Amino acid sequence: MESTGVAVAFWLLSALTVGGALLVLLSRNLLHALVFLVVAFLGTAGLFLTLSADFIAVAQILIYAGAIAVLIVFAIMLTPLASRDNANSLYAVPGILLGLAVAALVAFAALDGGWPELAGEALAERGFSSTVAAIGELLLGRYVLAFEVASVLLLFALVGAIVLVREEPPAGDGEGREP
């Protein structure tokens, strides 16, 4: 880390992210859980900023804290009120055990990975000062075909979803009029 301020911000944002995620787990109200999830998403975006990944931080805010949160709000609002409680489930204990196993695996990889440390000047030499320009050049240069294919596939998926949820018009009496 470059300075003490960045290290303090990293640990505060880490605590905010983990705290938000734990409150999502412990919350009984789905709307409160959603608010805590947005807090966890914003904390994650802040962590990306402290790690000099500005493009990923902005994408985290736009996609997760914005679009996914709105999608979840719509899903909650369209769910009947009786099934909105965040009741206990049969899968709570296996989920906790699986989460602890994944956390142990990540901790092992982080501690035993042999990560190289790069100082501020080494980061600037490798081009990590700003990632947006480099990502833009790669997306519109070397990877333009893959980018366009992905956008066409997403367009087909969107059209397919619209076709699947579209209601068929009621059958008329043959004269174009509805009965």
Side-chain angles (χ1 to χ4, degrees):
M1 303 249 171
E2 293 177 12
S3 67
T4 306
V6 174
V8 169
F10 179 83
W11 288 107
L12 288 175
L13 288 167
S14 297
L16 179 74
T17 304
V18 171
L22 286 175
L23 287 172
V24 168
L25 180 69
L26 298 174
S27 178
R28 302 312 250 158
N29 186 337
L30 282 181
L31 289 175
H32 294 160
L34 177 64
V35 171
F36 296 135
L37 185 64
V38 169
V39 168
F41 286 155
L42 292 175
T44 304
L47 287 171
F48 285 132
L49 281 177
T50 62
L51 296 172
S52 299
D54 49 350
F55 179 78
I56 298 175
V58 171
Q60 173 81 20
I61 291 171
L62 290 176
I63 294 170
Y64 288 104
I68 299 298
V70 168
L71 180 69
I72 293 172
V73 166
F74 284 134
I76 290 172
M77 293 304 165
L78 293 174
T79 303
L81 192 59
S83 61
R84 277 195 208 166
D85 64 338
N86 201 3
N88 288 334
S89 153
L90 296 173
Y91 303 111
V93 173
I96 290 172
L97 292 176
L98 181 64
L100 289 174
V102 169
L105 183 66
V106 168
F108 175 75
L111 295 175
D112 196 44
W115 303 94
E117 292 187 24
L118 296 175
E121 293 177 10
L123 286 174
E125 289 174 7
R126 288 188 166 195
F128 289 110
S129 58
S130 177
T131 57
V132 177
I135 290 173
E137 287 176 11
L138 286 173
L139 281 179
L140 297 176
R142 183 176 178 186
Y143 299 110
V144 69
L145 180 62
F147 184 65
E148 291 299 324
V149 168
S151 66
V152 169
L153 286 174
L154 288 172
L155 176 66
F156 285 157
L158 180 65
V159 170
I162 291 170
V163 167
L164 285 176
V165 299
R166 187 181 70 174
E167 293 182 19
E168 293 295 322
D173 60 358
E175 299 180 28
R177 293 181 290 142
E178 294 185 21

